[in-house]
Amino acid sequence: MIAILDYNAGNLTSVQLALREVGLNAVITRDPGAIAGAERLIFPGVGAAGSAMQGLHELHLEKTVRDYVASGKPYLGICIGCQVVLENSEEDGGTSCLGIFSGSVKGFRAAPGVKVPHMGWNQVRQTRKHPVLEGIPEGAEFYFVHSYYPAPKNSEVVLGETEYGGVKFPSLMAKDNIVACQFHAEKSGPYGLRLLKNFCAWDGKA
């Protein structure tokens, strides 16, 4: 069973529909037992890290997510689900996150010719091979909508990089059973669908 984490965020149904497009069924759930029993977990969403962590806290799902990741089963974080795997975020005046990866989430700075949020299609430069990238060419474009970006301390977790406004940031991270993408795979056309399909066929091993 593929579980899509419901923590009072938007954009959950679009992930479910994208998976259906590639012949995969997923359940949107906030039930701890269903999440623990799932074969893989997707943490999507739009909005702010602070509200995401608040949603997890109010629904008593923080430990559920941590325990799931510790189980070794595949985890995919999309956009906010990518950011919360780090220790903290600059957003909302400072937010403590899940702390699965060392590092923080930083904000883009608006400047002449640089609009915030970063919105639209942009390239992802692959830094190494990984099963979730099978069939996706180097430099493929994905769809972004975000004002903040992941800044992990360990460069070894970086799987793909993107440049915006003079900032080169990790747009795709992976370590052990965790994959996290800053872009919206569910809105990224054929390559986004391919990444989702690859994730759902992946055994969670690097």
Side-chain angles (χ1 to χ4, degrees), residues 38-201:
E39 294 178 8
R40 56 201 73 237
L41 176 63
I42 300 177
F43 188 138
V46 294
S51 59
M53 293 305 300
Q54 181 180 350
L56 290 179
H57 180 72
E58 290 175 351
L59 294 168
H60 308 289
L61 290 175
E62 278 187 70
K63 185 176 185 301
T64 301
V65 174
R66 293 179 194 274
D67 288 349
Y68 184 91
V69 170
S71 75
K73 291 185 288 187
Y75 166 99
L76 173 63
I78 299 175
C79 195
I80 292 298
C82 169
Q83 295 179 8
V84 297
V85 302
L86 293 161
E87 294 171 296
N88 55 72
S89 173
E90 291 182 349
E91 197 166 9
D92 297 326
T95 297
S96 294
C97 299
L98 294 172
I100 297 166
F101 287 176
S102 297
S104 60
V105 180
K106 299 183 180 297
F108 289 114
R109 302 291 181 254
V114 180
K115 294 182 179 181
V116 179
H118 170 214
M119 182 181 297
W121 295 84
N122 205 340
Q123 288 187 325
V124 173
R125 184 182 70 83
Q126 300 174 22
T127 59
R128 53 190 169 93
K129 293 183 178 180
H130 192 282
V132 299
L133 291 173
E134 184 180 348
I136 299 174
E138 162 63 20
E141 293 194 339
F142 295 85
Y143 188 76
F144 292 82
V145 183
H146 63 124
S147 300
Y148 293 79
Y149 61 90
K153 289 181 180 178
N154 185 355
S155 62
E156 292 181 2
V157 306
V158 179
L159 184 56
E161 294 178 326
T162 297
E163 187 168 345
Y164 181 71
V167 176
K168 183 187 292 184
F169 66 92
S171 50
L172 186 60
M173 301 186 293
K175 182 182 178 183
D176 300 327
N177 57 312
I178 303 168
V179 173
C181 57
Q182 179 58 64
F183 52 82
H184 284 278
E186 77 281 5
K187 295 183 178 181
S188 294
Y191 294 137
L193 292 177
R194 180 60 186 262
L195 187 145
L196 290 172
K197 187 174 183 179
N198 287 346
F199 169 76
C200 292

